[in-house]
Amino acid sequence: MSKPKIGFIGLGIMGRPMSKHLLNAGYELVVHDLNREAVAEIVSAGATEAHSCKEVGKNSSIVITMVPDSPDVEAAVLGEDGLLEGVSDGDIHVDMSTIAPSVAVSVGEALIQKGVKCLDAPVSGGDVGAQNATLSIMVGGEEDTFETVKPIFEVMGKCILCGPLGAGQTVKACNQVLVAVTIAGVSEALTLGAKAGVDPLKIVQVLGGGLARCGILENRGERMVNGDFDPGFRIRLHYKDLNIIMKTGNDFNVPLPVTSVVHELFNTAMAGGRSELDHSGLLTVIEDLAGIQARTT
Ligand code: NAD
């Protein structure tokens, strides 16, 4: 069977490497982004440019969106010259952005009315996972649509069908609770150790081998104590996810006491002009509270 033509909207930190993997796997790609430089890079790697989301929809049968937030997905799909105007019956839309579960469902409903099949498929694994094609992809939607798209997901990582449309975003919210709380915990541990006179690099090295080992220590620990907060996953995007999480907790009447404190720490980072740092830059907020820097010597 010939490979479907894929549309890809959103060529940022994540979308760029993900779309390149699809090109390398032999898929024909039609791409669009508001940033012309990002488009030029993927076009020079073999993709075709579309000038709107509508044009992407017209020229492909499976469309992936990978944009920052719920309003961006709404603009790309439901806005003027949006995907909804270009798609036809039988096409598939896969939103891989991290957005509110309720928006995944409402945007999906508009597309489903036009005969389009929809999956929400947010990812975990960060920029490194996108570059190495080792993303963990959490999918919501119908099983037959999932099976159709599975070979495409497997070019970018590993996928699991978690439930109906919106379930992928719910699982991603759970993921972001754990990551945010872990970053805050690692930041407090490093700052405590450093102020008590221990080289924080030693803390990263030794804790990484015990029960406290975790993805944050493994992927970010050394960079944190070197003061390297280049993104990666930006603080503003994790703050966006925490807003989604707190609203979802409210919607389902699930108190999230620990997450709410970490939400405020991210809010502090945003207010302090640190929105573009990697989310591990939350360390700088904890450092400010303690009045020292937890840097390796
Ligand atoms: P990014 O800001 O680097 O890239 C987003 C891209 O979308 C930009 O190039 C922007 O121009 C484009 N865009 C926005 N609105 C658009 C529109 N209407 N039409 C066309 N293009 C549009 O963001 P990112 O880091 O690549 O993250 C994308 C999504 O993936 C977010 O939802 C984020 O939460 C999620 N995510 C990111 C990471 C990470 O480590 N960066 C990890 C997991 C999940």
Side-chain angles (χ1 to χ4, degrees), residues 9-14 32-35 53 66-68 72 76 97-98 123 126-127 172 232-234 236-237 240:
I9 298 167
L11 305 167
I13 287 182
M14 299 297 283
H32 177 63
D33 194 291
L34 303 175
N35 173 355
C53 297
M66 192 54 169
V67 295
D72 305 307
S97 328
T98 303
V123 305
D127 55 323
K172 173 69 185 186
F233 188 56
R234 294 185 172 90
R236 74 173 149 81
L237 288 177
K240 173 258 308 181

Side-chain angles (χ1 to χ4, degrees), residues 188-200 203 290 292-294:
E188 288 191 359
L190 295 177
T191 305
L192 173 66
K195 195 158 186 185
V198 179
D199 180 346
I203 301 173
I292 65 140
Q293 285 198 322

